[in-house]
């Protein structure tokens, strides 16, 4: 039996970063957000409401709700999603349970600073978890179930649920400012999550038109160590054939590419665009969790494939 060591190392690295990310989230939540009695979205927000009403630790409510949601979602979203989420929500509940009694007094007396710092730390935690194929459960599970049977997107469902949880906190605290702080945390967290995810995959695409395209392509190959794709087109105004170079590089390499182009042909017509997600051939590895087809779906796919083969034979 042979072991795929690269796969083991990749999964180990993912679990390490998920553990670190959930600890970071829990530290920000327990040290900055919870002392202000601010209700945020997700099961952490529901756990905060239960804690404010009955004094039950947030981690207990958080973990119990996640297990209930996962049990309900098992047949809907599949075994792989459930198993992948159990580690994240278990790690999250563990660190929240650990930090809540230790950081009960908080660090600062400034509510605004606590809200911003807590939101940033929570956003970093969730963003790192997502970039390493993890999930902390909560509204993720609800959104996955809703998107399975409707056209409502996952992001929109999560937003609706989080807004409902935050708004309901008014009936507990009877303070408008805590509700506003909850929405501030929601937007700060969402922004930081997007920043983490997109920065991790950000790259640049160059489109270059030049009469010296061969020299530019060779210099980019030799000096920047990046590949070029040469496309043939036609300028409609001049009705002449033109060569176009397509170059993909990381954002940090874009300045070097620009210098190469300018040094060879200062009059080159060049466009530069940011792209999210460049995979393979010297870039990032495409890491996604493939959903295994159900027995019925697999049978249906087999029947479709068989029907396609029969159609091709008849056509030939």
């Amino acid at each position: 039996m042979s072991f795929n060591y690269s796969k083991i190392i990749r999964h180990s690295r993912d679990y390490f970063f998920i553990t670190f990310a959930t600890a970071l989230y829990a530290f920000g939540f327990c040290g900055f957000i919870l002392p202000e009695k601010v209700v945020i979205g997700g099961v952490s927000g529901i756990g905060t409401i239960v804690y404010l009403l009955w004094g039950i630790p947030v981690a207990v409510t958080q973990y119990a709700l996640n297990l209930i949601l996962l049990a309900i979602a098992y047949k809907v979203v599949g075994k792989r999603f459930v198993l992948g989420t159990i580690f994240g929500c278990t790690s999250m509940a563990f660190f929240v349970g650990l930090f809540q009694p230790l950081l009960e007094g908080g660090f600062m007396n400034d509510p605004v600073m606590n809200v911003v710092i807590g939101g940033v730390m929570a956003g970093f935690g969730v963003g790192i978890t997502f970039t390493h194929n993890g999930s902390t459960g909560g509204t993720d599970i609800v959104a996955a179930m809703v998107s399975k049977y409707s056209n409502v997107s996952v992001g929109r469902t999560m937003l609706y649920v989080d807004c409902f949880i935050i708004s309901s906190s008014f009936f507990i605290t009877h303070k408008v400012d805590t509700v506003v702080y909850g929405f501030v945390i929601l937007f700060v967290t969402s922004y930081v999550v997007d920043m983490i995810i997109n920065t991790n995959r950000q790259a640049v695409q160059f489109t270059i038109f030049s009469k010296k395209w061969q020299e530019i392509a060779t210099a980019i190959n030799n000096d920047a160590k990046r590949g070029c794709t040469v496309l043939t087109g036609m300028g409609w105004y001049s009705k002449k054939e033109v060569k176009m170079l397509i170059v993909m590089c990381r954002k940090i390499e874009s300045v070097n590419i620009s210098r190469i182009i300018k040094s060879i042909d200062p009059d080159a017509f060049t466009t530069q665009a940011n792209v999210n997600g460049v995979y393979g051939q010297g870039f990032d590895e495409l890491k996604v969790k493939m959903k295994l087809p159900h027995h019925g779906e697999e049978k249906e796919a087999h029947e479709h494939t068989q029907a396609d083969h029969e159609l091709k034979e008849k056509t030939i």
Side-chain angles (χ1 to χ4, degrees):
M1 181 178 178
S2 60
F3 292 95
N4 190 338
Y5 290 104
S6 61
K7 189 175 181 180
I8 293 173
I9 292 173
R10 185 173 67 248
H11 285 310
S12 301
R13 186 178 64 227
D14 285 342
Y15 284 124
F16 170 79
F17 277 105
I18 291 170
T19 304
F20 168 76
T22 51
L24 182 65
Y25 178 100
F27 188 86
F29 173 75
C30 297
F32 296 94
I33 298 174
L34 193 59
E36 297 296 335
K37 296 180 172 58
V38 176
V39 175
I40 62 176
V43 293
S44 298
I46 299 175
T48 303
I49 292 175
V50 173
Y51 171 69
L52 294 177
L53 287 175
W54 297 292
I56 299 174
V58 176
V60 175
T61 306
Q62 194 179 47
Y63 198 52
L65 283 176
N66 273 322
L67 291 181
I68 292 171
L69 288 172
L70 286 172
I72 297 172
Y74 184 82
K75 291 185 178 181
V76 179
V77 297
K79 179 180 178 180
R80 184 167 295 189
F81 176 85
V82 171
L83 293 178
T85 306
I86 285 176
F87 179 82
C89 67
T90 302
S91 178
M92 178 73 75
F94 170 78
F95 285 114
V96 170
L98 176 67
F99 289 139
Q100 184 177 350
L102 295 177
L103 307 177
E104 191 172 3
F107 293 100
M108 297 182 295
N109 294 323
D110 188 342
V112 176
M113 289 300 296
N114 280 334
V115 163
V116 173
I117 294 174
V120 170
M121 293 183 73
F124 267 98
V126 175
I128 294 171
T129 301
F130 284 167
T131 56
H132 289 276
N133 291 324
S135 173
T136 56
T139 49
D140 295 0
I141 305 171
V142 177
M145 288 191 292
V146 171
S147 64
K148 182 78 174 180
Y149 295 109
S150 69
N151 293 325
V152 182
S153 66
V154 173
R156 185 177 298 180
T157 303
M158 292 175 66
L159 181 63
Y160 290 161
V161 174
D162 288 343
C163 287
F164 175 78
I165 295 171
I166 294 171
S167 300
S168 65
S169 67
F170 176 78
F171 300 101
I172 308 300
T173 62
H174 302 291
K175 294 181 180 179
V176 177
D177 55 347
T178 56
V179 177
V180 173
Y181 287 148
F183 281 108
V184 170
I185 292 172
L186 175 62
F187 288 114
V188 170
T189 303
S190 300
Y191 176 78
V192 175
V193 169
D194 288 340
M195 183 184 69
I196 295 296
I197 293 174
N198 291 329
T199 302
N200 186 59
R201 303 181 302 177
Q202 203 165 47
V204 173
Q205 174 181 301
F206 282 93
T207 305
I208 308 163
F209 296 86
S210 173
K211 294 180 180 178
K212 300 180 180 179
W213 60 271
Q214 290 178 311
E215 298 175 43
I216 294 174
T218 302
I220 291 174
N221 282 166
N222 295 336
D223 299 337
K225 306 301 180 183
R226 282 296 175 194
C228 294
T229 300
V230 183
L231 303 178
T232 302
M234 184 176 70
W236 192 246
Y237 180 78
S238 63
K239 303 297 189 295
K240 293 182 179 179
E241 184 181 281
V242 294
K243 296 293 185 182
M244 177 173 63
L245 300 178
I246 302 293
V247 181
M248 297 289 184
C249 68
R250 298 189 185 278
K251 194 168 186 178
I252 196 172
E253 300 170 316
S254 60
V255 175
N256 188 30
I257 300 289
S258 298
R259 287 173 179 169
I260 291 172
I261 298 169
K262 187 175 181 180
S263 66
I264 296 174
D265 185 3
D267 297 323
F269 183 80
T270 307
T271 64
Q272 178 180 332
N274 292 328
V275 293
N276 288 327
V278 180
Y279 305 102
Q281 299 296 324
F283 286 90
D284 298 326
E285 179 185 355
L286 185 59
K287 298 195 296 182
V288 292
K289 291 184 177 179
M290 301 299 294
K291 181 181 176 184
L292 296 176
H294 297 296
H295 180 69
E297 294 176 354
E298 191 174 357
K299 182 179 179 182
E300 185 180 354
H302 176 71
E303 290 174 353
H304 280 301
T305 305
Q306 190 173 9
D308 289 341
H309 285 313
E310 291 176 358
L311 181 61
K312 286 181 180 179
E313 290 176 359
K314 289 179 182 179
T315 305
I316 294 172

